[in-house]
Amino acid sequence: MAARTSKKWLHGCLALALFVASILLPPAVSYSAGENLLGNPGFEAGDVSWEKWGSPVVTTAEKHGGTKSLQVKRNTGGASASVAVQEGKTYRVGLWVKFAGTGVTSAAIDLDAFGSQQTKQYLYFSGSTQWEYKQLLYTPAPGVQYIRFSFWNSTSKDYYIDDALIRENVDIERPSTPGTWTAEHEPDSLKLTWAGSTDDMAVESYQLSYKKTEDSGWNTLSVPHQETVTSYTYTLQNLDPFSVYAIMLRSRDTAGNTSGAVMGMEATPGVNLLTNGGFETASISPWTETGTVQTTTYGTYAGQYAARLTGNSAIRSEEIPVDGEGSYLVSYWTRSAAVPPQASTVSLSVYQESSETEHPLITNTASVWARSENQLRTTGTTEYMQLTAKNQTGTDQFLDQVYIGKLPELPEDLAPGAPAEFTVNRADGVSADLEWLAATGPFGVKNYSITFKKAADTEWSSITVPYVPGQSLYAYKLEGLSPESLYEVKVTAVSEGTAVSAASSLELTTGKMFPVNPGASEEAAALLDRLYATVGSAVYTGQHNYYEAPSLWYDTAAELTGYYPAIWGSDFAYYTGGDFSALRQAMIDEAINKGHTGSIITLTYHEPRPMDSATAGWESVTGDVTAAQMTEIVTPGTVLYNQWAAQVDEVAGYLAQLRDEGIPVLWRPYHEMNAEFFWWGARPELFRQLWDNMYDRFTHLHGLDNLIWVWSPNAESSWAYDSAPYYPGHDAVDVLAMDIYNNDYRDTYYNKLVQLSGGRPIAIGENGELPDMDMLMEKQPRYAYFMTWSQYLTDKNSLSAIQALYSNPRALHNGETGNGPYVPPPADSYLIDDFEQYGSSNSSLRAKWQRNVSGNLATVTLDTYHLNSGTYGLKLDYTVGNPGYAGLYRSMGKEWPGMEAISFWLQPDGSNRQLAVQFHETNGEVWEASIPVQGTTPVLVSIPFTEFLRPGWSTGGNGVIDLGSIKEFAFYIAQGSGTQGSGTLYIDDVKAIKLPVEEE
């Protein structure tokens, strides 16, 4: 809430500073390392944050990621938002482009760099009709403060751009996943071989994790990455025979990012079923031979002996009994005395019911030892096996370390089993207590995933519950549900490496939701029901009023739109002059009147400090209290507590009048507590105690059963802290709201409220600029209402914007006035700026009139000497160099119906440079007219709209000036007929006017 501009309101320095900080300055945005610095990089929010030259359009016909891209038609262009950069840092800059047709062989996207120095680099594209990504690393030169993408399609085809990226060049990309390994199996080891990974920066190592499937803990080792190596081999040793091992392989880069996991299970075989498989008895026995087969000590693979098979000889093992159905591993080492004309053969014969099945095995023709490995599955009727090696070549063949061993059965599924006994123990209106048994699996369990949706919906929501070692029973409170609704709920177990189990499912029905006050009145419960009923489908309109004129802005909204706002709001506030009690009573009388005529009532309390007098004003509300004083205020029995109690007891008396009239109230005390604006702010624990004290006193002492308790922090920013620590809890809050100004309707604010609310209604507690109803529907559908702060209805919003919101089908009102929307009478002029509204604050001025950072330096200050009327004018100090212009602009959100020209007072600087006047329509069309800056005598400039033309880079739109919706107004200084250098202009009384009628 901002201080009033009426002379009744007392402004100290602190109050003014807080006003400027909380309302006028744009919020400072902080980014984590590697985060994309561009807002809306993939056009998912339309063309927000992108400048359009001509008529590029956001489309769903093509997209690289998400659902949208920007179609850049021929002879159109645009630019991204400018991103602040720092000297000495390196930035990664990239973009995806796809052409709509063939025939283009080269195209460039510009990277503009500017500040006191300007440079340009390019991303070159091939004209491909497939999505193509190009990037560069950019290090700002001295004097460069900002960079942005800009583009102009001078090719013969349309193209699409998507997923633009400007981020600090820290490594946040994951390396590619390693290749799937191959394994060689021994009773006590597993030899793994895999293809290496790649990374945009550098791969550091491979993380190899393994465990027996029945164990809980993992063994992890690191295999270094080598730039010249593409295939890696590592042997896991000292393993247990006849065991199944779960194995995961990931790559890791030098920044610590890890790839996706390669997952698998491998088995070590049991003991060798062959006798004398290594021929270490110095004989062939018990093998049988055909031809000449001898043991040799020359060139063995392992041990002292190997078998040598001369030409046309064979060797056959003894019969190996088979224990029914199972898997067997057969391995052996072979080499040739020389390269043979043909390969020797090795086969395994399986006997069952007097029949023989021969299985050819892999053989080696090289003159160096090589291992061959095969796996064979037997059936339940298999009786025994025999291994045969035949040498039908013209050279000697050698055989060593022959092995046949049984393999344990591998689990059929890598995933854990489905969580068992999934039940719901209790459900209220917005939550359900779920319970299930822990799952197990070969890769263990990393977490549980709960997915849920209303039975009639199609989209699922999901929540992750961490795994707890040793925990056999899990309980979780699922929040964020809607009252009296049927839900489908599933739980799955997710293993290390992200294998997912089958789902366990259930259905549950939520109950009715009641106010936090167990003794709440029927009217209060009905009001809360109304809010729940509208969540996700509609939004109640709301309008605040100062208590001195308790219906002024409510009536204004109704007059402008033809609809009575659904919510009427006011404030117990603080002393501003006159009879305080009478003014408060008049406000309550108006609340009773509005309540009986169908309005929802919401009340705020800007409470003065308890230690101050009853006539304390704004300076008391924004005054400081020490930690010791705040502790005393919330401690029953202390002097300050008693003074606080006396203040709130007086307010309770007014609220009791509404109770007695059967009127429920959205009670919103102590708002914006997560900032240092007010004495109750910036101390989370003490604030929660203050809230609890008021709740307890109003509920139990005063019996105020008509209150719906609304908690309303400030939108988090550089001057407002994380709101979560200030939340009093679900047992003392019915509705969670957030105060949002500067059109700053970020998803992060919304998501924070959704998370904290646990399914309770959320709202926009205060706003300046009206929210975009289509945006709310698409991205922030759970907001139940908004309340525009008094005069900001018209100060921050154009008439067309106000009327568009109130006429939106999702906007809920308290009926129609019967007069229809307001049609303004013809006016002789519309004020753009006379520079009186900023007081003496240059920071307030600069928050409104901002420099175009693509150009040269331009600095604005308030001036009291060079002006046309009033107390203040604008002083513009500028420099024209490279890129040849300096500019400043301000947002408008206004209409100029019936106007014919732009008029302003100007004291030129005799520079013979060029001054351009520019304005932007809401649809993006831009209009501009210029005058020479000649002489130094003040002049009243009048430029008819007939002299305004579209700049060469603005070729879109309908070619007709539309004065019904102007979103931006600007002044630009160019070199013109002058020279490069600096200068100063003085400007005052900028207006859109009608031209005087010339007498005949």
Side-chain angles (χ1 to χ4, degrees):
M1 172 264 178
R4 296 172 235 199
T5 55
S6 166
K7 65 182 180 180
K8 293 181 180 180
W9 289 70
L10 303 177
H11 292 260
C13 292
L14 175 61
L16 181 58
L18 288 173
F19 168 70
V20 171
S22 63
I23 302 302
L24 296 176
L25 291 178
V29 181
S30 61
Y31 294 92
S32 59
E35 184 177 352
N36 197 345
L37 303 177
L38 283 174
N40 192 29
F43 305 98
E44 296 305 300
D47 59 10
V48 174
S49 300
W50 289 81
E51 187 173 341
K52 296 195 301 181
W53 307 331
S55 56
V57 294
V58 174
T59 178
T60 58
E62 292 285 350
K63 61 271 187 183
H64 171 259
T67 60
K68 300 174 184 176
S69 68
L70 184 70
Q71 182 181 4
V72 184
K73 300 179 180 179
R74 288 172 292 168
N75 297 316
T76 70
S80 70
S82 299
V83 170
V85 293
Q86 298 180 34
E87 184 179 343
K89 290 188 174 182
T90 299
Y91 295 83
R92 179 168 299 199
V93 179
L95 189 71
W96 289 87
V97 171
K98 175 181 180 179
F99 274 79
T102 59
V104 178
T105 58
S106 180
I109 301 292
D110 299 355
L111 177 68
D112 302 328
F114 43 90
S116 59
Q117 297 294 324
Q118 288 78 39
T119 63
K120 190 182 291 288
Q121 295 190 26
Y122 304 93
L123 294 172
Y124 291 102
F125 293 84
S126 67
S128 172
T129 54
Q130 301 297 317
W131 284 104
E132 181 181 17
Y133 182 74
K134 296 294 182 182
Q135 70 174 19
L136 57 84
L137 297 180
Y138 176 75
T139 303
V144 171
Q145 298 171 288
Y146 300 90
I147 59 175
R148 71 171 184 178
F149 289 112
S150 66
F151 45 91
W152 182 262
N153 187 0
S154 57
T155 74
S156 60
K157 302 292 182 182
D158 293 358
Y159 61 76
Y160 304 91
I161 63 176
D162 201 1
D163 293 336
L165 173 71
I166 298 178
R167 68 169 173 85
E168 189 179 339
N169 190 40
V170 296
D171 189 0
I172 61 172
E173 302 293 338
R174 302 173 71 185
S176 65
T177 303
T180 303
W181 66 76
T182 58
E184 295 181 11
H185 306 75
E186 298 283 1
D188 62 351
S189 66
L190 292 167
K191 183 179 180 180
L192 307 178
T193 301
W194 66 89
S197 297
T198 59
D199 186 57
D200 58 342
M201 302 291 277
V203 178
E204 176 189 75
S205 61
Y206 299 90
Q207 307 299 304
L208 188 57
S209 300
Y210 65 100
K211 72 178 185 71
K212 291 174 69 171
T213 54
E214 62 267 28
D215 293 345
S216 58
W218 289 83
N219 304 294
T220 300
L221 55 90
S222 180
V223 179
H225 174 82
Q226 302 175 55
E227 286 301 319
T228 58
V229 175
T230 58
S231 180
Y232 292 81
T233 297
Y234 189 87
T235 301
L236 300 175
Q237 297 179 328
N238 301 316
L239 305 182
D240 293 337
F242 200 71
S243 298
V244 177
Y245 283 84
I247 302 174
M248 290 190 301
L249 176 65
R250 295 183 175 95
S251 57
R252 176 187 174 94
D253 66 19
T254 52
N257 304 304
T258 57
S259 72
V262 181
M263 301 171 58
M265 286 181 286
E266 301 289 349
T268 55
V271 297
N272 195 347
L273 301 176
L274 279 173
T275 303
N276 198 23
F279 307 103
E280 292 305 303
T281 64
S283 69
I284 301 301
S285 178
W287 298 72
T288 59
E289 60 186 289
T290 302
T292 302
V293 179
Q294 299 172 331
T295 59
T296 179
T297 60
Y298 176 75
T300 64
Y301 172 73
Q304 289 186 290
Y305 297 94
R308 184 181 67 177
L309 287 72
T310 60
N312 298 314
S313 66
I315 188 172
R316 188 179 184 89
S317 74
E318 62 182 330
E319 295 180 357
I320 304 168
V322 173
D323 185 16
E325 183 177 2
S327 295
Y328 289 82
L329 179 82
V330 181
S331 68
Y332 44 87
W333 290 83
T334 58
R335 73 175 178 89
S336 175
V339 176
Q342 66 184 66
S344 61
T345 62
V346 178
S347 63
L348 183 70
S349 296
V350 176
Y351 297 87
Q352 57 185 30
E353 297 177 350
S354 301
S355 65
E356 176 186 1
T357 303
E358 184 174 341
H359 299 273
L361 305 180
I362 298 171
T363 59
N364 171 37
T365 61
S367 59
V368 295
W369 286 105
R371 184 178 184 273
S372 299
E373 178 181 299
N374 300 266
Q375 291 188 26
L376 176 72
R377 186 160 186 86
T378 60
T379 65
T381 59
T382 301
E383 299 170 359
Y384 63 92
M385 298 184 294
Q386 279 187 300
L387 184 79
T388 302
K390 296 179 181 180
N391 181 10
Q392 298 172 328
T393 70
T395 186
D396 290 352
Q397 300 289 307
F398 296 87
L399 181 68
D400 201 358
Q401 301 301 310
V402 185
Y403 173 90
I404 298 178
K406 188 170 185 179
L407 289 166
E409 295 296 322
L410 294 179
E412 294 183 359
D413 196 348
L414 300 181
E421 298 186 24
F422 184 39
T423 58
V424 56
N425 289 332
R426 175 187 171 276
D428 59 18
V430 295
S431 66
D433 295 329
L434 305 177
E435 191 173 272
W436 65 91
L437 294 179
T440 59
F443 284 80
V445 174
K446 180 175 65 176
N447 57 58
Y448 296 90
S449 177
I450 298 174
T451 56
F452 62 99
K453 70 175 183 70
K454 286 184 179 180
D457 293 344
T458 57
E459 293 187 6
W460 293 80
S461 300
S462 63
I463 290 171
T464 297
V465 180
Y467 163 78
V468 180
Q471 183 167 314
S472 60
L473 179 66
Y474 282 80
Y476 183 81
K477 180 180 284 292
L478 177 63
E479 295 185 312
L481 309 179
S482 297
E484 300 177 283
S485 300
L486 175 64
Y487 279 87
E488 298 173 5
V489 188
K490 299 178 181 180
V491 62
T492 55
V494 182
S495 77
E496 293 288 348
T498 65
V500 181
S501 76
S504 295
S505 305
L506 58 78
E507 289 187 341
L508 64 87
T509 301
T510 54
K512 181 178 173 60
M513 200 64 186
F514 298 93
V516 292
N517 180 356
S521 66
E522 292 182 6
E523 293 83 3
L527 172 55
L528 189 61
D529 285 345
R530 289 178 66 184
L531 297 182
Y532 275 110
T534 195
V535 169
S537 61
V539 180
Y540 286 109
T541 57
Q543 181 59 49
H544 179 266
N545 304 268
Y546 295 127
Y547 72 89
E548 302 96 327
S551 195
L552 173 61
W553 292 103
Y554 181 93
D555 293 344
T556 300
E559 180 184 0
L560 294 178
T561 65
Y563 298 99
Y564 293 108
I567 298 175
W568 171 93
S570 193
D571 185 0
F572 284 101
Y574 45 90
Y575 185 68
T576 60
D579 188 333
F580 197 14
S581 297
L583 288 169
R584 279 182 164 179
Q585 185 58 54
M587 177 192 73
I588 292 300
D589 292 342
E590 186 63 36
I592 293 171
N593 176 56
K594 288 292 191 291
H596 284 321
T597 55
S599 293
I600 297 172
I601 307 302
T602 183
L603 291 170
T604 301
Y605 186 19
H606 284 86
E607 182 181 5
R609 296 184 302 180
M611 67 280 291
D612 292 334
S613 69
T615 57
W618 177 250
E619 73 285 351
S620 174
V621 178
T622 59
D624 193 19
V625 297
T626 67
Q629 289 172 321
M630 189 67 181
T631 300
E632 186 176 346
I633 290 171
V634 301
T635 303
T638 65
V639 172
L640 286 181
Y641 175 88
N642 292 336
Q643 291 173 337
W644 167 83
Q647 289 183 165
V648 301
D649 287 350
E650 182 177 348
V651 168
Y654 293 107
L655 293 171
Q657 295 182 46
L658 294 168
R659 175 199 61 199
D660 296 343
E661 291 287 336
I663 296 174
V665 177
L666 295 172
W667 175 235
R668 195 179 70 101
Y670 302 131
H671 70 310
E672 299 177 11
M673 77 301 296
N674 59 325
E676 299 180 14
F677 306 151
F678 308 121
W679 63 263
W680 57 80
R683 293 189 177 102
E685 292 184 9
L686 294 174
F687 166 78
R688 295 197 303 271
Q689 186 61 54
L690 179 70
W691 181 281
D692 289 343
N693 288 351
M694 176 179 277
Y695 175 81
D696 179 70
R697 196 168 186 87
F698 278 16
T699 302
H700 302 117
L701 179 63
H702 294 288
L704 295 175
D705 59 6
N706 60 326
L707 303 184
I708 296 297
W709 290 78
V710 181
W711 175 77
S712 189
N714 196 83
E716 289 143 10
S717 64
S718 59
W719 58 80
Y721 309 118
D722 179 12
S723 58
Y726 298 82
Y727 183 53
H730 291 342
D731 57 352
V733 174
D734 292 300
V735 177
L736 292 81
M738 189 165 281
D739 296 358
I740 302 175
Y741 287 92
N742 301 315
N743 207 27
D744 191 25
Y745 294 99
R746 297 189 205 178
D747 291 346
T748 52
Y749 304 154
Y750 170 80
N751 293 335
K752 171 60 75 65
L753 281 184
V754 170
Q755 179 184 12
L756 283 176
S757 72
R760 288 154 184 79
I762 64 171
I764 301 168
E766 294 179 15
N767 62 274
E769 292 83 356
L770 291 166
D772 182 307
M773 293 293 278
D774 292 333
M775 182 278 293
L776 293 188
M777 177 187 296
E778 179 180 354
K779 301 178 69 178
Q780 301 174 9
R782 291 188 64 87
Y783 281 131
Y785 68 84
F786 67 84
M787 184 183 71
T788 305
W789 193 262
S790 293
Q791 76 273 18
Y792 284 177
L793 175 69
T794 55
D795 284 357
K796 299 290 185 179
N797 302 282
S798 67
L799 177 61
S800 61
I802 299 169
Q803 292 178 342
L805 182 145
Y806 273 78
S807 62
N808 189 286
R810 294 185 72 241
L812 299 179
H813 321 102
N814 188 31
E816 298 186 32
T817 65
N819 298 323
Y822 173 74
V823 178
D828 293 329
S829 66
Y830 287 94
L831 180 65
I832 297 173
D833 210 330
D834 61 5
F835 309 101
E836 302 299 322
Q837 62 176 302
Y838 310 107
S840 59
S841 173
N842 285 318
S843 60
S844 299
L845 172 73
R846 291 166 188 160
K848 179 65 70 174
W849 288 88
Q850 300 184 32
R851 173 196 165 209
N852 184 329
V853 296
S854 299
N856 296 123
L857 292 176
T859 305
V860 293
T861 53
L862 293 165
D863 188 81
T864 58
Y865 297 102
H866 306 82
L867 48 93
N868 184 49
S869 64
T871 305
Y872 297 100
L874 177 74
K875 178 183 179 183
L876 170 58
D877 294 306
Y878 66 89
T879 298
V880 173
N882 181 11
Y885 68 90
L888 67 153
Y889 65 94
R890 59 157 292 169
S891 298
M892 294 292 298
K894 295 295 181 182
E895 301 95 358
W896 302 332
M899 298 300 103
E900 299 169 321
I902 296 295
S903 171
F904 57 95
W905 180 89
L906 172 69
Q907 183 169 330
D909 59 5
S911 63
N912 289 320
R913 299 186 179 108
Q914 200 82 3
L915 175 64
V917 178
Q918 186 185 97
F919 59 89
H920 295 227
E921 299 175 15
T922 300
N923 67 4
E925 197 163 7
V926 181
W927 299 91
E928 185 176 88
S930 299
I931 61 171
V933 181
Q934 298 175 333
T936 58
T937 302
V939 292
L940 189 62
V941 178
S942 180
I943 307 176
F945 288 133
T946 54
E947 297 182 11
F948 280 77
L949 302 173
R950 288 176 296 179
W953 45 264
S954 177
T955 57
N958 59 12
V960 178
I961 293 178
D962 177 12
L963 300 178
S965 189
I966 307 298
K967 73 172 184 178
E968 185 178 295
F969 183 86
F971 287 112
Y972 284 90
I973 315 294
Q975 184 172 333
S977 300
T979 62
Q980 292 188 353
S982 300
T984 301
L985 301 178
Y986 297 92
I987 299 172
D988 198 8
D989 291 338
V990 186
K991 301 176 182 179
I993 64 167
K994 284 187 175 181
L995 293 171
V997 178
E998 296 184 3
E999 296 183 2
E1000 297 183 359

